[in-house]
Amino acid sequence: NWKAPNGRIFAIDLAKPARANWREVVPESKSVMQSFSVTGGRLAVNYLENVNSRVKILDTSGKEVDSIAFPSLGTVTTVAGRWDSKEAFYTFTSFAQPATIYRYDVATGKQDVWASVKAPIDPAQFEVRQVWYPSKDKTRVPMFLVFKKGLKLDGNRPTLLYGYGGFLINETPAFRTDAVIFAEHGGVFALPNLRGGGEFGEKWHLAGMQTNNQNVFDDFSSAAAGLIENGTPNHEHLAMSGGSNGGLLVA
């Protein structure tokens, strides 16, 4: 992230490591670069794009040759493999999908489930939706909603609003037992991506820390107001939850 808060990739000749010999292979983009790996003669670059994982497969010049498709909104680990092998692996998870390891063929783009955590959950029963709402200063903030498919959001749905917002921590769509159990019983689990986290890079982090900390509280309050205005819960059916830094926020 040197002179590039969202990250970029250089190629360096170890025999000539001076800065003048560095070659930029992947420039910085609007999306935050989470990690990258080399596998099957390619670069697998993991981005966080609007708080969802996106993995691009690039050749050694930095040209995109493929991307990995995922079953839903979710979070993906670094793609693990070897430079001289076309076989790679990654782990995918979403709010209602426990950690699932996929085997990915770098040459063909084909993938299949290799192993998964066994849990009494059918991910197909749940809907994960991403919505956006304006905060007090008009900044657009994203929020995930988790609920049973077909559930009528009529204002009478018990809704649990979870908040954190700090320390560059990304609140991405990962498996959560509290979200699944709450949704199984007819509720709506809501997770806003408050400033102070790292979902949109260092600028998003700085916008919620120290003298900007009030933005985090405004984002959270605006998330509650947005849920009520859109008819998900009414005031009587909305609860808040948070731990550690999020506990201070909720209190």
Side-chain angles (χ1 to χ4, degrees):
N1 60 1
W2 175 64
K3 295 185 178 180
N6 286 350
R8 54 178 172 165
I9 298 175
F10 284 93
I12 301 174
D13 184 343
L14 296 182
K16 301 177 181 179
R19 171 66 185 92
N21 299 323
W22 294 9
R23 176 172 59 89
E24 186 181 72
V25 178
V26 184
E28 182 185 27
S29 71
K30 292 182 179 180
S31 299
V32 181
M33 187 182 296
Q34 297 285 281
S35 62
F36 82 97
S37 61
V38 290
T39 179
R42 304 289 193 204
L43 297 175
V45 187
N46 192 340
Y47 289 97
L48 194 61
E49 190 172 278
N50 287 334
V51 205
N52 291 286
S53 290
R54 183 183 180 193
V55 177
K56 295 182 179 181
I57 306 300
L58 315 176
D59 64 18
T60 52
S61 70
K63 179 182 177 181
E64 184 175 351
V65 295
D66 198 3
S67 61
I68 301 178
F70 308 113
S72 67
L73 301 177
T75 304
V76 177
T77 61
T78 300
V79 178
R82 299 177 183 274
W83 177 255
D84 56 358
S85 172
K86 67 177 184 178
E87 186 177 65
F89 297 85
Y90 67 86
T91 300
F92 174 86
T93 180
S94 187
F95 289 109
Q97 180 170 337
T100 304
I101 301 174
Y102 288 82
R103 185 196 333 241
Y104 175 72
D105 188 312
V106 180
T108 66
K110 293 182 179 180
Q111 57 184 322
D112 53 71
V113 174
W114 188 72
S116 62
V117 173
K118 303 302 179 185
I121 298 166
D122 179 9
Q125 290 185 354
F126 301 92
E127 180 173 345
V128 178
R129 182 183 300 176
Q130 187 180 44
V131 298
W132 296 74
Y133 64 91
S135 188
K136 183 178 180 179
D137 63 357
K138 307 304 180 184
T139 297
R140 294 180 73 245
V141 180
M143 176 165 53
F144 292 104
L145 304 178
V146 185
F147 52 93
K148 267 192 171 182
K149 285 185 178 178
L151 186 73
K152 186 177 181 180
L153 305 182
D154 57 5
N156 294 313
R157 294 300 102 201
T159 300
L160 181 61
L161 178 63
Y162 178 87
Y164 190 82
F167 299 98
L168 204 63
I169 292 175
N170 301 328
E171 294 291 348
T172 58
F175 182 66
R176 298 185 62 115
T177 53
D178 53 356
V180 170
I181 292 172
F182 201 74
E184 278 185 332
H185 287 79
V188 178
F189 179 84
L191 176 64
N193 298 109
L194 313 173
R195 280 175 282 187
E199 290 90 346
F200 296 98
E202 185 60 20
K203 289 182 179 179
W204 196 253
H205 175 217
L206 294 174
M209 65 181 292
Q210 297 179 351
T211 56
N212 295 321
N213 193 226
Q214 183 61 42
N215 288 331
V216 186
F217 299 98
D218 292 341
D219 290 355
F220 192 65
S221 177
S222 297
L227 285 168
I228 293 169
E229 290 171 5
N230 290 322
T232 302
N234 55 34
H235 289 86
E236 296 177 350
H237 292 87
L238 178 62
M240 300 181 296
S241 175
S244 187
N245 177 66
L248 299 174
L249 167 75
V250 169

